[in-house]
Amino acid sequence: MSTGQTLLLGAIAGATIFLGLPIGRMQNVSAATKAFLAAVATGILLFLFWDVLSQAVEPIEEALTAGHDGRFLWLASLLLGGFFVGLMSLVYYDVWMKRRRRRAFLGPGAASTAEFEQDHEHYFKGLSPARWLAVFIATGIGLHNFSEGLAIGQASASDEVSLAIVLIIGFGLHNATEGLGICAPLTGDREQPSWRFLALLGLIGGGPTFIGTVIGQAWVNESVMIVFFALAAGSILYVVMELLNVGRVLASKTVVTWGILLGLFLGFSTDFILVAAGA
């Protein structure tokens, strides 16, 4: 497979994320439907959390069982540090943004904090909480998809053409479901997201697949891959916690649980396709 063919297929694998983005423009959506869609996204992200962590831990365990203590400590520290940064950076960023919104509204003559909670989107010129959550989801998925792109590029560079094609098909299916997950918080938002904003979310979530393919075609470093896996796992865990909060507010535990189960089913189904094909 030529470099051009590999990059083209890597771009296609990333572009499938756009298939699920139009759902973000759905209006007049009931609270139960919004909660169910958010729960499906949560299930998909829970699968991705397991997926990236298992891939990051595998080389660390190999170093440990081989008796390479120095390499084990190095890789384990990369995993811990990357996970910490991926999770806590989003936590502190969210806290900072909420403080900015609060200061922008609670000036002289402000009525109450409760009033701020209801109207801060109007008084603070920026993204709504639903849109910030969509950006966070796209960021976590983008980090995960970067690692997938590395795998595609590395398989092609090793002349494992059939493996590269299977990875492209499997990751393309993954990305198609991830587009739904990104836009789940946007359904029924008070202001319909523009196509430009949805395109930006698609680039954040799907673009790294192509970038990873480019880098993987030329060079792959195990330590760098572990860092990206760890960053992805941390950011995905943060988003999962946020989506679970959304589900608890909007609908019953039964609706949320069914949505999570469906999301997990979609995630593992596409993974099993890869395994069955010998990837």
Side-chain angles (χ1 to χ4, degrees), residues 250-274:
L250 294 178
S252 67
K253 185 181 295 184
T254 303
V255 171
V256 173
T257 304
W258 275 112
I260 291 175
L261 286 174
L262 177 58
L264 285 169
F265 173 80
L266 292 173
F268 277 101
S269 295
T270 52
D271 185 63
F272 290 154
I273 291 173
L274 292 174

Side-chain angles (χ1 to χ4, degrees), residues 122-252:
H122 172 73
Y123 287 90
F124 182 78
K125 303 302 181 182
L127 298 181
S128 68
R131 296 192 183 196
W132 274 120
L133 183 53
V135 171
F136 288 155
I137 294 174
T139 301
I141 287 176
L143 289 168
H144 172 264
N145 286 342
F146 179 81
S147 62
E148 290 185 345
L150 290 176
I152 292 172
Q154 185 62 21
S156 176
S158 303
D159 292 328
E160 299 179 13
V161 179
S162 60
L163 174 59
I165 293 175
V166 168
L167 289 175
I168 290 165
I169 295 173
F171 294 154
L173 292 172
H174 266 316
N175 283 345
T177 60
E178 289 164 359
L180 299 175
I182 290 174
C183 284
L186 300 176
T187 55
D189 202 12
R190 283 189 288 180
E191 182 180 351
Q192 190 180 58
S194 66
W195 288 110
R196 183 177 179 180
F197 180 69
L198 293 179
L200 176 62
L201 292 177
L203 288 176
I204 294 173
T209 306
F210 175 74
I211 297 173
T213 302
V214 173
I215 296 175
Q217 177 79 7
W219 171 79
V220 166
N221 180 276
E222 188 174 61
S223 298
V224 173
M225 289 188 67
I226 288 177
V227 169
F228 274 96
F229 282 138
L231 287 171
S235 57
I236 288 171
L237 179 59
Y238 170 81
V239 174
V240 165
M241 293 188 297
E242 290 293 295
L243 287 174
L244 287 175
N245 288 333
V246 171
R248 281 195 294 266
V249 171
L250 294 178
S252 67

